[in-house]
Amino acid sequence: MRVLVLGGCGIQGKAAVVDLAGSPAVERVICADADLGGLGDISDFIDMTKVRTATLDAGDSESLEHLFRQADVAIDLLPRQFLNTVCKAAIRTGVSVVNTNYAYPIAHLHENAQNAGMAILPECGLDPGIDLVICGEARRRFDALNLINSYCGGFPEPTACDNPLNYKVSWVFEGVLASTKRDGRIIRDGTAIDIPADRQHDQAYVHALDFPGLGELEAIPNGNAVFFTDALGVTASIRETGRYVLRWPGWSAFWRPLKQLGFLSEDPVAGLPGAVSPYQMMDKLLAPQLQYKRSERDLVAMLNVFEGRQSDRLVRLTCRLLIERDLETGLMAMAQGVGYPASIAAQMIAKGEIIQKGVLSPMKHIPYPAFRDSLRTRGIVIEEEEITLP
């Protein structure tokens, strides 16, 4: 198979290229990016005879279509502002595409994709991604679900926590900032609760979580959990659900007063020589100070908890995983957690293991056993624990 990777020299893109180049089923990897210099970071660890490069202008539809026509399937790891352009180019060429962005902006393309005889598989990275495949499997195992809580976060190993935030950047810091001002929706005691972005870090919504091997972490609301229980068709029976980002303790105490003082406002500050917002300033000021050294590991921790009924039993299913940076290749844990699932899903489509067309969902269309086993061969192990509740 021939696989196109858009953004192949980015942090996550390099992980996808490494994975694809190491797959016997992949004949060619087309690595497309605006700047191809990053390929040198991984060239010593992959079979470069499989890799072809292409300079990419993501805003040029004709250029995108030319690249799609060279591939059997594509992986889109470009910034989210190119999502619609990429998906429409994929539809026009009839080449299926996997991406890691939320599905909301492209859900309307479902019928167009079906008519083109191709698949668009969004939300296929880490979170959303691995967590949603796990959620889909839980839905199949339980007769009824009344609790779904999903936790995921990336942060430095303890020895790399050398700044007041105890945080370093394993993806794009602007995306981290955006996540600190995200509206949320949870369910508590059967009642849906909307959490506006300016209250996301309030103590009423933040709680501590003990993660095996790491100790206490801080869980912060992260997006609309009810959207996914709706997609699973289980909201009517849910008593508790939430999606939470994990950080070392102290994260919310840092951001809460800054948000109150307007440091995440996107409105330009009056009286400055240029139209600069606090949000832009925070991005440019903090990002360079929060970079990993080559010798430091980032960690990714994920925990998904389900409770419900299986036949005549009340059961709790806990699924967890922990990823560490590969210091030999330099691939970040976050990059592995995003790039590997995208690579696995793209190969499943090309092999005919996923045959549905249209805008798909990892919850419904990615077969869990094969996906779990594929992750394990890549060193990402989903640990499952199932207990009967009283």
Side-chain angles (χ1 to χ4, degrees), residues 221-243:
N222 184 37
N224 184 355
V226 182
F227 174 85
F228 294 102
T229 59
D230 284 346
L232 287 170
V234 299
T235 302
S237 65
I238 290 292
R239 303 296 301 169
E240 179 182 328
T241 191
R243 291 177 67 80

Side-chain angles (χ1 to χ4, degrees), residues 285-305:
L285 175 67
L286 293 182
Q289 302 181 61
L290 302 177
Q291 300 301 311
Y292 282 91
K293 299 181 180 72
R294 183 61 176 79
S295 60
E296 295 176 336
R297 289 185 175 90
D298 71 313
L299 307 175
V300 166
M302 177 180 286
L303 179 72
N304 291 277
V305 184

Side-chain angles (χ1 to χ4, degrees), residues 105-121:
I106 55 168
H108 66 285
L109 296 175
H110 177 67
E111 187 173 341
N112 302 74
Q114 280 189 321
N115 292 338
M118 53 82 71
I120 300 173
L121 182 50

Side-chain angles (χ1 to χ4, degrees), residues 52-133:
R52 303 290 184 272
T53 59
T55 303
L56 173 65
D57 179 356
D60 184 344
S61 296
E62 289 188 9
S63 173
L64 284 170
E65 290 177 31
H66 175 71
L67 289 170
F68 273 108
R69 291 191 181 97
Q70 300 176 46
D72 301 307
V73 66
I75 299 172
D76 169 25
L77 293 169
L78 295 171
R80 59 185 179 273
Q81 61 261 36
F82 298 110
L83 179 60
N84 264 284
T85 303
V86 168
C87 287
K88 289 176 180 177
I91 288 171
R92 285 192 294 270
T93 56
V95 177
S96 295
V97 61
V98 172
N99 70 62
T100 60
N101 294 294
Y102 284 104
Y104 320 113
I106 55 168
H108 66 285
L109 296 175
H110 177 67
E111 187 173 341
N112 302 74
Q114 280 189 321
N115 292 338
M118 53 82 71
I120 300 173
L121 182 50
E123 303 179 334
C124 198
L126 174 70
D127 172 13
I130 295 175
D131 59 330
L132 299 186
V133 182

